[in-house]
Amino acid sequence: MQSTSQVNILIVDDRPANLMAVAETLAPLGQNIVKASSGEEALKYLLQQEFAVILLDVQMPTMDGFELAKIIHSRPATCHTPILFITAISREEMYVLKGYSVGAVDYLLKPIVPEILLAKVAIFIDLFNKNTELKQQTEKLRALNQALQEKEQEIRRINHQKELILNAVGEGIYGVDCQGQTTFLNPAAAQMLGYIPEEVIGKPECLILHTDFINNQNQASVCPICASLQDGSVHYNYDGQFQRKDGSCFPVEYISTPVLEQGKIVGAVITFKDITERRSIEQMKENFISFASHELRNPLILIHGPLDLLIRGTFDQQPEKAKQMLEFALQGTERMMELVNDILNIQRLNAGKFILNKKLCIASDLIQQAISDVQSLADQSEVMLKVDPVLVEIWADPNAIDLTLTNLLSNAIKFSPPHTTVCLSAEVIESPEGFPLLFQSKISLPCLLFRIEDQGRGIPADKLEIIFERFQQIDMSNSREKRGSGLGLAICKSVVQQHDGFIWAESILDQGSIFYFTLPLIDME
């Protein structure tokens, strides 16, 4: 029985001896080898099975390798199956080019070095397995997404039917008569709209909810509420906008349901909810998609490009160049790991799944550990590290604080010119006078104040408030070269907040930046 881990490899050659020789060469790979002695027989197998790679002889009677390759790549089911031409005859450049023109990924001339053939085929086996796994995961995600959408649609429909009564307190409920005049609104609706009920009773709903409809001669076609009053049907709007008393607008999702009495339309009830928070979440999702499309694509290109060249055999005769290509790919994987780790950390922190293991720690030990963690980066960047520790105990998670300090120190080092100094210090603060007036009410005292100062290019003043948000990066001259995931400072902020501390930054362009964060000093007795 064929193992589920095996893949199919098709060998096509009209000479049995060649078939046997290639099959024996590939035997160490432990895969399912399928042999075909003609193009017709190969096509029969291709209709029945899926193959990771096809090893195809050029010179064959009836249907040569070029014709067979052309047919294979004309079929949607096999158009992406990689083909390796193997021949001892057609060595001329025109034949090699013809092989590539019909879709071959490589053109091997006999005698073939077994190790080279095994290495090339092994790569395609690995690619096939990864593609198969990706297809399976994609199909699972598609099925789950479809099921989720169906469930969401079902839940939304049921909720909209029941919320008219059951969830009246949590949602705005607005009633009108058959003329569209306001008859009532519940406290939630009054609060969202900024009115007291007496101010709107008897007034047209279009004048209150969305004034852009009031002068429209074809109101029923554009206003779902007016349409309910005319056709007696329920109208949904998942992307609406209502106006407050002060003239400002907010996004809403609402349902207009006609009220029937003995078959006659006597009014309508509008149930609505403020979806500002949902829009914020959607914007957050869009930011993540934008981040993924830009930041994850670059390391993927860095991985794909070198590997593609290696697979094609471009550097088979240049081992040093091949090694350099692998180093580029390794850099890409390291970058991907850094991005994924940052994404996981911020997700765990925000979801409350990043469990803090707080204990009594000595601040100087935490500082020395962080310095040790970034020393090699500082040496590579020719940046000096200056430390001014303090011997004081704090109640904190040492790993989380180390993550915060190393993030801040790494940023300071990355954006500091060579032969400059990054300083890390800490001091006990017992009065609020040492803090900016804007932050004094936000900081618990007494506290331990950490200070990370660099002599780098600085941060624009209008960016200081947003740099601690997710996916925020300062786009300056060499930011592409030194940019991170856009999550490091967000992670720092989340860690400090979970320790009941506060974090902020000060900066002067072309002179440097100072990052501060506090940790409260708690009496444990």
Side-chain angles (χ1 to χ4, degrees):
M1 179 180 295
Q2 180 181 332
S3 171
T4 56
S5 63
Q6 286 185 319
V7 302
N8 298 318
I9 300 173
L10 179 60
I11 307 172
V12 187
D13 198 308
D14 62 312
R15 298 185 180 183
N18 289 344
L19 286 174
M20 184 62 68
V22 175
E24 288 298 320
T25 301
L26 299 178
L29 295 176
Q31 306 302 321
N32 182 42
I33 308 298
V34 178
K35 293 174 284 187
S37 58
S38 68
E40 292 79 4
E41 186 179 11
L43 290 174
K44 180 184 68 174
Y45 287 128
L46 286 166
L47 290 173
Q48 300 170 351
Q49 303 175 68
E50 188 176 11
F51 292 88
V53 63
I54 301 171
L55 284 71
L56 181 55
D57 184 35
V58 174
Q59 299 292 335
M60 293 188 299
T62 309
M63 181 188 299
D64 64 21
F66 297 138
E67 293 173 326
L68 178 58
K70 189 173 182 180
I71 294 173
I72 291 172
H73 277 202
S74 69
R75 298 178 61 247
T78 57
C79 62
H80 297 297
T81 304
I83 297 174
L84 298 177
F85 276 126
I86 300 177
T87 183
I89 301 175
S90 303
R91 296 173 175 269
E92 291 83 4
E93 184 174 325
M94 62 174 291
Y95 284 99
V96 175
L97 292 175
K98 185 176 181 181
Y100 287 126
S101 71
V102 295
V105 297
D106 211 339
Y107 197 101
L108 305 180
L109 301 176
K110 298 178 182 178
I112 296 173
V113 178
E115 291 79 4
I116 293 178
L117 181 60
L118 285 171
K120 290 179 180 291
V121 173
I123 289 174
F124 288 112
I125 292 172
D126 185 55
L127 287 174
F128 180 85
N129 285 330
K130 289 180 178 178
N131 284 335
T132 300
E133 182 180 353
L134 181 60
K135 289 178 183 177
Q136 293 172 348
Q137 293 298 325
T138 300
E139 180 58 29
K140 288 181 181 178
L141 287 174
R142 188 202 63 76
L144 288 173
N145 186 56
Q146 179 64 28
L148 180 61
Q149 289 180 346
E150 293 174 356
K151 288 294 183 182
E152 287 179 343
Q153 186 176 2
E154 179 182 358
I155 291 171
R156 184 167 57 187
R157 183 173 60 254
I158 293 173
N159 284 343
H160 279 314
Q161 293 172 350
K162 293 184 177 180
E163 282 173 357
L164 294 173
I165 298 175
L166 299 179
N167 297 327
V169 174
E171 294 187 344
I173 298 181
Y174 195 106
V176 298
D177 61 20
C178 60
Q179 301 299 320
Q181 306 294 316
T182 304
T183 56
F184 72 91
L185 69 163
N186 72 337
Q191 182 179 7
M192 282 187 272
L193 295 170
Y195 289 99
I196 59 174
E198 291 76 11
E199 292 177 306
V200 298
I201 300 300
K203 294 183 178 180
E205 62 84 13
C206 284
L207 181 64
I208 304 301
L209 299 182
H210 29 41
T211 58
D212 52 329
F213 290 156
I214 190 66
N215 295 319
N216 195 303
Q217 295 180 351
N218 194 19
Q219 283 180 250
S221 65
V222 292
C223 174
I225 300 170
C226 296
S228 290
L229 293 173
Q230 286 196 10
D231 61 24
S233 61
V234 177
H235 287 264
Y236 297 82
N237 191 325
Y238 299 110
D239 190 26
Q241 182 172 277
F242 284 173
Q243 180 174 275
R244 300 185 182 94
K245 180 181 178 180
D246 62 9
S248 63
C249 297
F250 61 102
V252 293
E253 172 184 292
Y254 67 92
I255 306 172
S256 174
T257 305
V259 177
L260 303 178
E261 185 175 318
Q262 297 181 350
K264 182 180 179 181
I265 302 172
V266 296
V269 174
I270 302 98
T271 305
F272 66 94
K273 62 176 70 174
D274 186 338
I275 59 172
T276 302
E277 183 177 354
R278 182 189 302 176
R279 289 282 180 85
S280 176
I281 294 173
E282 290 172 353
Q283 183 62 49
M284 191 181 304
K285 291 179 180 178
E286 289 180 6
N287 289 343
F288 176 76
I289 292 171
S290 176
F291 160 79
S293 65
H294 289 85
E295 299 305 320
L296 298 182
R297 182 182 299 169
N298 290 332
L300 284 174
I301 292 174
L302 194 60
I303 296 169
H304 178 271
L307 291 181
D308 182 58
L309 291 174
L310 292 172
I311 289 171
R312 293 175 180 274
T314 304
F315 301 112
D316 284 353
Q317 305 304 320
Q318 303 177 57
E320 288 300 321
K321 190 67 175 178
K323 181 180 178 182
Q324 185 181 12
M325 292 295 101
L326 289 174
E327 289 174 350
F328 287 152
L330 180 60
Q331 292 173 11
T333 60
E334 291 173 348
R335 173 67 176 148
M336 286 287 291
M337 291 176 63
E338 177 186 348
L339 292 170
V340 171
N341 285 336
D342 279 351
I343 292 171
L344 291 176
N345 280 334
I346 195 68
Q347 189 276 335
R348 290 168 181 163
L349 284 164
N350 290 339
K353 296 179 180 179
F354 194 99
I355 301 175
L356 296 179
N357 183 21
K358 294 184 180 180
K359 60 181 72 174
L360 279 177
C361 306
I362 299 176
S364 58
D365 291 344
L366 297 176
I367 290 174
Q368 291 297 337
Q369 179 61 51
I371 291 294
S372 175
D373 292 340
V374 301
Q375 187 64 59
S376 62
L377 176 61
D379 294 340
Q380 293 172 11
S381 304
E382 300 182 64
V383 172
M384 297 291 295
L385 296 177
K386 181 180 178 182
V387 184
D388 186 12
V390 61
L391 286 172
V392 62
E393 287 186 332
I394 56 174
W395 185 249
D397 183 327
N399 293 326
I401 300 303
D402 180 64
L403 175 64
T404 301
L405 287 171
T406 54
N407 261 327
L408 295 174
L409 286 169
S410 297
N411 283 346
I413 293 169
K414 287 178 184 178
F415 296 104
S416 292
H419 313 299
T420 59
T421 301
V422 170
C423 301
L424 169 59
S425 62
E427 63 175 317
V428 174
I429 304 294
E430 297 183 349
S431 62
E433 287 75 17
F435 299 115
L437 183 62
L438 180 64
F439 302 147
Q440 288 181 4
S441 62
K442 301 178 181 180
I443 299 174
S444 301
L445 295 173
C447 69
L448 182 63
L449 174 66
F450 289 86
R451 173 187 172 112
I452 298 89
E453 181 175 4
D454 65 59
Q455 298 170 296
R457 66 193 186 191
I459 302 168
D462 61 341
K463 302 294 184 181
L464 287 173
E465 292 187 5
I466 67 170
I467 57 174
F468 294 101
E469 302 303 321
R470 283 175 287 182
F471 311 119
Q472 295 293 333
Q473 296 174 325
I474 308 303
D475 186 14
M476 299 181 71
S477 59
N478 62 343
S479 62
R480 177 61 61 182
E481 176 186 351
K482 297 182 178 181
R483 72 189 305 169
S485 64
L487 294 170
L489 291 179
I491 292 172
C492 293
K493 178 182 178 181
S494 184
V495 168
V496 171
Q497 287 179 339
Q498 290 197 43
H499 281 81
D500 298 319
F502 189 72
I503 187 168
W504 75 97
E506 298 174 355
S507 184
I508 300 176
L509 284 178
D510 300 321
Q511 294 187 31
S513 304
I514 307 175
F515 281 80
Y516 302 91
F517 73 90
T518 66
L519 295 178
L521 295 178
I522 302 175
D523 185 358
M524 299 304 298
E525 298 182 356

